[in-house]
Amino acid sequence: MTGMKKIGKDKNRKLIRYRFADELLSTDTKISFVAGLIAAVLLIASIVIGIVKKGEAGDVTGMMLGIALVMSVTGIIFGGLSFRDVTGSNNGKRYAVELSVIVLIALVILMVI
């Protein structure tokens, strides 16, 4: 029963009621997911544009990678802040941070190459 909380006592199993949890993901986790997804989409789009234009992409892909970097760092910050909130699952918080960290590592690898 994912997202369910027990209410009541466990006496003879008559008083146990279940209700849905208030939030499965906290607000900071949602912001972190969105920032990580936008960063990943911008990273993939800039790689595809660079391949299609055979390396002559210019300022547009550089700007897209810069925005992806900012969004990735924002996702890491909001993901870290979401661990303070007690609502929501820790798995969602961890996945949001991992997504942003993976994008950040990919960006660093692209800058080094």
Side-chain angles (χ1 to χ4, degrees), residues 49-110:
I49 290 172
I51 291 172
V52 168
K53 292 193 174 187
K54 298 178 183 173
E56 299 293 325
D59 296 337
V60 175
T61 56
M63 184 172 49
M64 288 172 63
L65 289 174
I67 294 171
L69 178 70
V70 170
M71 295 300 285
S72 177
V73 171
T74 303
I76 292 171
I77 290 171
F78 273 100
L81 291 176
S82 70
F83 281 102
R84 286 196 232 167
D85 196 6
V86 294
T87 60
S89 67
N90 283 334
N91 286 339
K93 296 172 185 179
R94 190 182 67 211
Y95 295 147
V97 172
E98 287 175 0
L99 174 66
S100 296
V101 167
I102 288 170
V103 172
L104 185 64
I105 290 171
L107 285 169
V108 169
I109 288 172
L110 281 177

